[in-house]
């Protein structure tokens, strides 16, 4: 018969642990076979030593029972996947009806050991059965010829030796279930001598015998082997060993069973080990489940982090260019209000300009909220007392929520200080108050509460995104409509809002979330539909004392006379900022990139303050340029500006120590105040400076040729502010039309133009109007490919009021 048979599902799963099964098959390399479930009742295969029943698509237990009906003496090995063993064992119930010789195995490395043990057990049982069969044949063969008598006597001695030496209990019963034979192994196992049991009914030997008696009656009536288990209580011995009994009929020549042979084996250790294995598997399953849950939580956290990173990269790139655009718009609008004489006293024009400035502010807030959610808003943390901040905001909060909502502030005495950005914290409180107001359209109560809080290990284990320790807690609660759990779960997502279209951006709570995380804190939302919402912000405790800000004098449009070097790669932004600084009375030097700024500083010119964008083109980064500048001019004040700093001067979400930053877009009064704070001088008492251009003395007629619309409009406005007439066109062809219609003292043209170039325009214009001065505006320095006979000069881009004023001051009509 084959040693191993593998019973597969139908169709067989060839890929399931194929390498492991090949190693098991190697235990009987030349003596194994494979069957599917459907072939089980059809194929004429002899009884194997071990039948390995692999995981089935159907009921594996039913397949095992079919195997038992076909192969009575085989050892059945039911193999389960690693995480299904416990559930399968539970589902088998107390009586699986598989006989005695079966066991469970797991589809892992332990399958090799279990298979080897099963094969050894089968070999032992086979040898014993052969011995018993020989003994039965000897008893039945009363008519043995004399010449075989000696052989039978030798065989009997072998059998006697086996029965005496085996540690298993072997005994025989007659048809009345009285004991006929009692081996030495039975004496050791049951603690009963042979003289005490021979001839006695088996049921008298103890409670365990009742189980064997029932099984023996089944053997006598059915003529089929039976297995059973029983606990044996032994006199004078501690413990109750578990004994596995295998009963087989003794069938004489008549063909009817008239006795039963019984083999008993102590399986206490095996069962204990099996129970330990089950327990170990259950423990392993619990550990795997816990680990799986932890991995799922980590996966969700990773997805959230990746989402934040993606939004951060998107908003960072957009914010820089977007804030530059806002800066140009805002600066020019403010210049318009200050410089255009026709706009003064015109309330309609003033209203339009202020509406445009309000839109710039809204755009700046939107950009700031996006950066805050993505944790890329540069924070300038200060040691502060939250109670004081809430008290200072009392009037602002009451105006924001309206008279129909009652405001209550509950401040805890002895509140710890915390390290946070005061401006961003106030924005957060105001946003939460406005959200609460919108949730209470009719009336309600808004409660702002502060307290000291300690988050213990139990809390942070559940939260998983905050370390344990001491925190300052700020809670904002309302008695509004509340939120269902599914809405509350999405409340911190960017652009998620339940407000009607046009009533909110969906960035208020996401900004609060980003601020909390960037500040090393924690934020939670508690809401119940129809009851209200509470949002709790936890900020890490600081052990330093609060430094109260020193009141500053009114710094609105504070002027100065210092020299400021502006380093900005965006020409429109550079022009707007330079104009604001000149209006404030400062002397302005400009550079388009970091290396050019260093060249200006190395020339020895006096500079009081370096005002530089953070993100600059070229190999030299702005922070390194600022460091070298301070080495060249000790005591030089450096002010950075940017719409998006990323990691240049911000690390861990906070400005590097000693770094000053003015975030784009900013108003002229913000710039003026910041400059006076940094330069540490009282505002100049000099009279307000006259507009640039007032000293030119003459009104010139200028033909401006520039194909870039923004640059053309801005330059034309500056020339007009300087008191000159200007005609602005976009191409050389339009310039010839203008030259034919009027006389100009100056041709200011770009080099690269659509159609004819600026050089071709200048050559032809010089031929027609030899007294007209020609100036090329070039973004490539002084190198212009023009003939040497042409009388011209070059003004580098970008240029501002000073360059235009110097250019126009000496030109006659």
């Amino acid at each position: 018969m084959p040693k191993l048979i593998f019973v597969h599902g139908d169709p067989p799963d060839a890929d399931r642990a194929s390498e492991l099964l090949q190693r098991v098959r190697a235990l009987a390399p030349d003596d194994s076979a494979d069957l599917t479930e459907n072939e089980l009742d059809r194929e004429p295969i002899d009884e194997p030593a071990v039948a390995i029943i692999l995981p089935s698509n159907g009921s594996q237990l039913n397949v095992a029972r079919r195997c038992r009906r076909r192969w009575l003496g085989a050892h059945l090995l039911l193999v389960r996947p690693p995480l299904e063993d416990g559930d399968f064992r539970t589902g088998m119930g107390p009586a699986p009806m598989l006989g005695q010789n079966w066991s469970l195995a797991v589809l892992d490395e332990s399958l090799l050991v279990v298979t080897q043990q099963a094969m050894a057990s089968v070999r032992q049982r086979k040898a014993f059965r052969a011995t018993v069969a020989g003994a039965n044949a000897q008893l039945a063969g009363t008519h043995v010829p004399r010449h075989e008598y000696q052989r039978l006597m030798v065989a009997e001695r072998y059998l006697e030796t086996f029965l005496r030496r085996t540690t298993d209990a072997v005994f025989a019963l007659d048809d009345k279930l009285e004991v006929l034979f009692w081996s030495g192994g039975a004496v050791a196992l049951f603690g009963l001598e042979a003289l005490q049991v021979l001839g006695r009914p088996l049921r008298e030997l103890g409670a365990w015998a009742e189980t064997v008696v029932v099984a023996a009656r089944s053997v006598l009536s059915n003529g089929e082997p039976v297995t059973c288990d029983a606990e044996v209580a032994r006199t004078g011995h501690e413990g109750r060993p578990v004994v596995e009994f295998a009963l087989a009929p003794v069938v004489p020549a008549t063909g009817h069973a008239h006795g039963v042979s019984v083999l008993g084996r102590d399986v206490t250790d095996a069962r204990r080990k099996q129970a330990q294995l089950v327990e170990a598997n259950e423990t392993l399953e619990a550990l795997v489940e816990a680990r799986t849950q932890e991995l799922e939580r980590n996966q969700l956290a990773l997805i959230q982090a990746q989402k934040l990173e993606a939004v951060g990269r998107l908003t960072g790139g957009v914010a820089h260019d977007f804030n530059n655009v806002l800066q140009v718009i805002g600066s020019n609008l403010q210049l318009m209000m200050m410089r255009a004489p026709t706009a003064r006293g015109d309330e309609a024009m003033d209203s339009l300009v202020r509406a445009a400035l309000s839109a710039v502010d809204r755009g700046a807030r939107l950009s700031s909220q996006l950066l805050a959610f993505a944790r890329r808003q540069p924070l300038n943390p200060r040691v502060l007392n939250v109670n004081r901040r809430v008290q200072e905001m009392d009037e602002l909060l009451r105006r924001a929520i309206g008279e129909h909502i009652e405001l209550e502030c509950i401040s805890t005495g002895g509140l710890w200080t915390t390290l946070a950005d005061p401006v961003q914290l106030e924005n957060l409180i105001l946003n939460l108050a406005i959200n609460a107001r919108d949730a209470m359209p009719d009336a309600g109560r808004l409660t702002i509460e502060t307290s000291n809080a300690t988050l213990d290990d139990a809390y942070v284990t559940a939260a998983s995104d905050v370390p344990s320790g001491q925190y300052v807690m700020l809670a904002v609660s309302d008695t509004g409509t509340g939120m269902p759990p599914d809405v509350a779960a999405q409340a911190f997502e960017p652009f998620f809002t339940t407000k009607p279209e046009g009533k909110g951006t969906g960035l208020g709570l996401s900004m609060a979330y980003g601020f909390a995380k960037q500040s090393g804190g924690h934020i939670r939302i508690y809401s119940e539909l129809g009851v209200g919402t509470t949002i709790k912000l936890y900020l890490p405790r600081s052990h330093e004392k609060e430094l109260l800000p020193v009141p500053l004098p009114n710094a609105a449009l504070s002027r100065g006379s210092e020299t400021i070097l502006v380093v900005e790669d965006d020409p429109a932004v550079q022009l707007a900022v330079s104009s604001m600084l000149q209006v404030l009375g400062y002397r302005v030097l400009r550079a388009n990139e970091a290396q050019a700024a260093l060249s200006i500083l190395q020339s020895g010119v006096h500079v009081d303050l370096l005002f530089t964008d953070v993100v600059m083109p070229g190999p030299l980064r702005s922070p390194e340029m600022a460091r070298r500048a301070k080495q060249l001019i000790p005591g030089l004040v450096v002010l950075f500006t940017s719409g998006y700093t990323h990691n240049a001067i911000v690390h861990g979400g906070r400005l590097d120590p000693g770094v000053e930053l003015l975030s784009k877009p900013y108003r002229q009064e913000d710039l003026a105040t910041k400059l006076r704070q940094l330069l540490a001088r009282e505002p100049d008492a000099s009279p307000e400076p006259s507009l640039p251009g007032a000293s030119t003395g003459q009104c010139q007629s200028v033909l401006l040729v520039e194909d870039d619309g923004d640059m053309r409009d801005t330059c034309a406005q500056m020339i007009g502010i300087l008191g000159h007439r200007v005609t602005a066109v976009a191409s050389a062809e339009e310039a010839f039309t203008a030259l034919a219609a009027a006389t100009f003292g100056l041709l200011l043209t770009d080099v690269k133009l659509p159609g004819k170039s600026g050089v071709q325009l200048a050559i032809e214009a010089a031929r027609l109007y030899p007294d007209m001065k020609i100036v090329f505006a070039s973004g490539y320095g002084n190198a212009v490919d023009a003939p040497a006979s042409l009388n011209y000069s070059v003004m580098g881009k970008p240029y501002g009021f000073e360059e235009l004023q110097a250019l126009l001051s000496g030109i006659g009509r």
Side-chain angles (χ1 to χ4, degrees):
M1 65 176 178
K3 291 183 180 180
L4 292 177
I5 281 186
F6 295 85
V7 181
H8 301 266
D10 194 15
D13 186 0
D15 294 331
R16 187 187 294 274
S18 57
E19 179 182 359
L20 177 62
L21 294 182
Q22 290 299 329
R23 293 163 60 191
V24 174
R25 197 184 303 274
L27 298 175
D30 300 323
D31 199 3
S32 63
D34 295 84
L35 282 180
T36 65
E37 296 176 10
N38 292 338
E39 295 173 344
L40 190 59
D41 298 324
R42 298 198 305 264
E43 296 297 327
I45 296 182
D46 294 337
E47 179 178 287
V50 177
I52 299 177
I53 304 171
L54 298 172
S56 170
N57 293 329
S59 172
Q60 192 176 16
L61 184 58
N62 289 336
V63 175
R65 288 169 178 165
R66 290 167 58 193
C67 292
R68 176 58 71 208
R69 286 196 297 270
R70 180 167 182 178
W71 303 315
L72 298 177
H75 188 102
L76 305 183
L77 201 57
L78 282 72
V79 181
R80 298 300 300 165
L83 298 181
E84 299 178 6
D85 181 43
D87 292 339
F88 182 77
R89 180 180 295 276
T90 302
M92 292 177 65
M97 303 299 292
L98 294 178
Q100 182 59 36
N101 301 316
W102 64 275
S103 57
L104 292 178
V106 181
L107 192 59
D108 57 20
E109 294 295 327
S110 64
L111 181 60
L112 287 168
V113 177
V114 175
T115 303
Q116 290 174 329
Q117 292 174 347
M119 294 175 68
S121 175
V122 170
R123 288 194 297 270
Q124 186 177 12
R125 289 199 304 273
K126 180 180 177 184
F128 172 75
R129 288 172 181 169
T131 303
V132 173
N136 287 337
Q138 182 179 5
L139 293 174
T142 54
H143 301 290
V144 179
R146 288 182 177 274
H147 64 275
E148 293 189 1
Y149 178 77
Q150 188 66 32
R151 185 181 62 81
L152 291 175
M153 291 298 292
V154 172
E156 184 177 357
R157 286 196 295 272
Y158 275 102
L159 177 60
E160 180 183 1
T161 301
F162 168 75
L163 294 176
R164 185 172 64 250
R165 296 297 183 185
T166 181
T167 57
D168 292 334
V170 180
F171 57 94
L173 307 174
D174 59 16
D175 56 355
K176 297 179 181 179
L177 301 184
E178 294 178 351
V179 180
L180 294 177
F181 175 78
W182 194 258
S183 71
V187 173
L189 182 57
F190 299 106
L192 298 172
E193 297 293 337
L195 294 177
Q196 295 177 272
V197 300
L198 291 176
R200 292 176 59 186
L202 181 63
R203 68 173 61 254
E204 297 179 0
L205 302 186
W208 61 268
E210 290 293 338
T211 303
V212 181
V213 167
V214 173
R217 286 174 178 168
S218 175
V219 172
L220 291 175
S221 61
N222 299 326
E224 298 291 338
V226 174
T227 59
C228 62
D229 294 346
E231 288 187 356
V232 176
R234 299 179 295 181
T235 304
H237 293 79
E238 295 181 357
R240 298 169 63 90
V242 178
V243 179
E244 180 183 75
F245 294 96
L247 294 82
V250 177
V251 183
T254 58
H256 298 286
H258 67 181
V260 180
S261 63
V262 183
L263 173 66
R265 175 172 297 167
D266 186 351
V267 294
T268 304
D269 289 342
R271 294 293 172 84
R272 183 174 62 252
K273 292 177 181 178
Q274 192 172 22
Q276 291 173 348
L277 179 61
V278 171
E279 183 180 359
N281 286 336
E282 293 175 350
T283 303
L284 179 60
E285 290 176 4
L287 292 174
V288 170
E289 178 66 19
R291 180 58 177 165
T292 300
Q293 293 177 357
E294 182 182 358
L295 289 175
E296 290 176 351
R297 289 194 300 269
N298 292 341
Q299 181 69 17
L300 291 175
L302 176 61
I303 292 173
Q304 180 69 7
Q306 290 173 336
K307 183 194 303 182
L308 286 172
E309 181 65 22
V311 173
R313 289 181 181 275
L314 174 63
T315 56
V318 171
H320 180 260
D321 294 335
F322 183 52
N323 286 333
N324 271 352
V325 172
L326 292 177
Q327 181 63 54
V328 173
I329 297 172
S331 298
N332 282 282
L333 287 171
Q334 292 178 77
L335 288 172
M336 180 187 300
M337 294 182 65
M338 297 178 60
R339 293 172 178 260
T342 57
R344 294 177 179 175
D346 188 340
E347 294 184 1
M349 178 64 71
D350 184 70
S351 176
L352 292 174
V353 173
R354 293 189 183 279
L357 283 172
S358 178
V360 171
D361 289 341
R362 289 198 301 273
R365 285 196 298 271
L366 176 62
S367 176
S368 176
Q369 287 174 333
L370 282 170
L371 290 173
F373 166 73
R375 308 184 207 178
R376 283 167 167 75
Q377 179 78 357
L379 299 182
N380 192 11
R382 299 287 187 269
V383 178
L384 55 87
N385 185 288
V386 177
N387 280 344
R388 189 185 310 278
R389 294 291 168 177
V390 174
Q391 292 169 2
E392 292 174 351
M393 294 182 66
D394 183 87
E395 183 180 352
L396 174 62
L397 291 173
R398 293 185 187 277
R399 289 201 307 267
I401 63 178
E403 296 180 354
H404 67 290
I405 295 176
E406 180 183 353
L407 175 62
E408 180 181 12
C409 297
I410 303 175
S411 302
T412 298
L415 188 69
W416 297 328
T417 58
T418 185
L419 187 66
D421 188 314
V423 176
Q424 297 300 325
L425 177 61
E426 291 176 0
N427 286 339
L428 181 147
I429 296 173
L430 182 59
N431 277 329
L432 295 182
I434 292 174
N435 284 346
R437 177 202 66 189
D438 295 341
M440 300 181 287
D442 299 325
R445 176 191 294 268
L446 172 63
T447 304
I448 300 178
E449 181 181 1
T450 60
S451 67
N452 298 324
T454 299
L455 302 184
D456 56 16
D457 293 337
Y459 181 92
V460 301
T461 299
S464 75
D465 62 345
V466 59
S468 59
Q470 295 178 324
Y471 291 83
V472 175
M473 190 276 293
L474 171 70
V476 179
S477 305
D478 64 64
T479 58
T481 56
M483 292 179 281
D486 58 327
V487 174
Q490 303 177 72
F492 292 124
E493 295 291 333
F495 304 111
F496 177 82
T497 180
T498 57
K499 298 178 183 179
E501 185 174 356
K503 296 295 184 180
T505 62
L507 288 172
L509 286 178
S510 62
M511 182 198 72
Y513 176 86
F515 171 74
K517 297 303 177 187
Q518 196 173 0
S519 301
H522 175 59
I523 191 168
R524 290 291 296 273
I525 183 169
Y526 306 89
S527 187
E528 185 175 346
L529 197 61
V531 176
T533 301
T534 296
I535 295 177
K536 292 186 176 182
L537 172 69
Y538 296 87
L539 295 174
R541 175 187 180 181
S542 173
H543 292 277
E544 300 179 21
K545 292 183 178 181
E546 179 184 23
L547 297 178
L548 298 179
V550 178
L552 294 174
N554 185 7
L557 293 181
S558 299
R559 301 187 304 274
S561 58
E562 292 87 353
T563 300
I564 297 176
L565 173 58
V566 177
V567 187
E568 171 62 63
D569 62 301
D570 189 308
V573 176
Q574 186 188 88
L575 173 62
V577 173
S578 299
S579 299
M580 285 197 298
L581 290 172
Q582 289 168 346
V583 169
L584 292 172
Y586 294 98
R587 180 170 180 264
V588 179
L589 303 176
R590 292 177 296 175
N592 297 333
E593 44 90 23
Q595 193 59 55
L598 279 183
S599 298
I600 293 175
L601 294 173
Q602 290 168 348
S603 68
V605 64
H606 175 73
V607 175
D608 297 291
L609 185 142
L610 174 65
F611 188 30
T612 177
D613 195 357
V614 174
V615 181
M616 296 289 291
L620 184 60
R621 299 171 67 247
S622 291
E624 176 62 19
M625 180 265 291
R627 187 187 66 82
R628 296 185 187 180
K630 287 188 175 182
Q631 290 178 344
L632 290 171
I633 306 177
L636 177 68
V637 180
V638 178
L639 174 60
F640 289 97
T641 182
S642 181
Y644 173 55
T645 58
H646 196 43
N647 291 326
I649 58 175
V650 175
H651 295 87
R654 301 179 179 184
L655 288 172
D656 293 340
V659 172
E660 296 291 341
L661 174 69
L662 183 62
S663 295
K664 295 178 182 178
Y666 48 83
R667 290 177 176 267
Q668 190 173 27
E669 51 265 33
D670 300 328
L671 177 60
T673 301
K674 191 70 173 179
L675 290 175
R676 295 320 315 162
Q677 289 176 343
L678 295 179
L679 292 170
R681 295 179 182 175
E682 293 294 327
D684 288 346
S686 58
E688 184 159 346
S690 60
L691 291 175
S695 61
T696 55
Q698 300 183 37
C699 176
Q700 308 298 334
S701 180
V702 180
L703 175 60
L704 172 65
V705 188
E706 171 63 60
D707 62 319
D708 185 285
D710 292 338
M711 179 65 73
R712 182 173 63 250
D713 293 342
T714 301
C715 184
Q717 291 181 40
M718 287 193 297
I719 294 174
I721 290 174
L722 288 169
H724 302 279
R725 296 188 302 273
V726 59
T727 300
V729 297
S731 66
E733 289 72 18
E734 294 179 12
F736 287 127
T737 302
L739 287 170
T743 302
F744 299 93
L746 171 67
L747 171 63
L748 177 59
T749 179
D750 193 6
V751 175
K752 289 189 175 181
L753 295 171
K756 286 187 176 182
S757 69
V759 174
Q760 292 173 317
L761 167 64
I763 293 173
E764 201 162 334
R767 182 176 58 81
L768 296 174
Y769 308 99
D771 295 333
M772 183 173 61
K773 185 173 182 178
I774 297 173
V775 177
F776 291 108
S778 172
Y780 301 94
N782 295 324
V784 176
D785 188 14
S789 59
L790 183 65
N791 185 18
Y792 67 92
S793 59
V794 179
M795 183 170 63
K797 292 183 179 179
Y799 48 82
F801 280 109
E802 287 187 350
E803 289 82 0
L804 284 173
Q805 183 176 3
L807 175 67
L808 297 169
S809 61
I811 302 175
R813 297 181 75 91

